[in-house]
Amino acid sequence: MYQEYINLLEAFRLSLMAENDPEVNKIVEQINETVANLKTGKYRAVDLTSQLFDVVSLVGNLMAFNDLKLNAFQSKV
């Protein structure tokens, strides 16, 4: 089950890296941390849910305040 999350997050991270924006880099860093924790099994479901929420929150804030535009692929992820 975690592998699906890892694949989606890694694909999303790669698509965001092309943005080359310091604010987007915060999202990439959070994704990196979340993926690392998913791969190691370091945290339980509640902690991972919190980390995934952090990723979504960062994306939402950047979209609201800095006009981050997601392409069709990014929106699906």
Side-chain angles (χ1 to χ4, degrees), residues 21-40:
D21 178 309
E23 293 299 316
V24 173
N25 289 341
K26 291 178 186 178
I27 298 168
V28 171
E29 290 172 11
Q30 182 63 46
I31 291 171
N32 287 340
E33 181 180 336
T34 303
V35 167
N37 290 333
L38 282 167
K39 285 182 176 180
T40 63

Side-chain angles (χ1 to χ4, degrees), residues 27 56-70 75:
I27 298 168
V56 171
S57 179
L58 286 169
V59 170
N61 288 340
L62 194 55
M63 287 178 67
F65 297 113
N66 293 332
D67 297 324
L68 174 68
K69 305 289 186 212
L70 298 179
S75 294

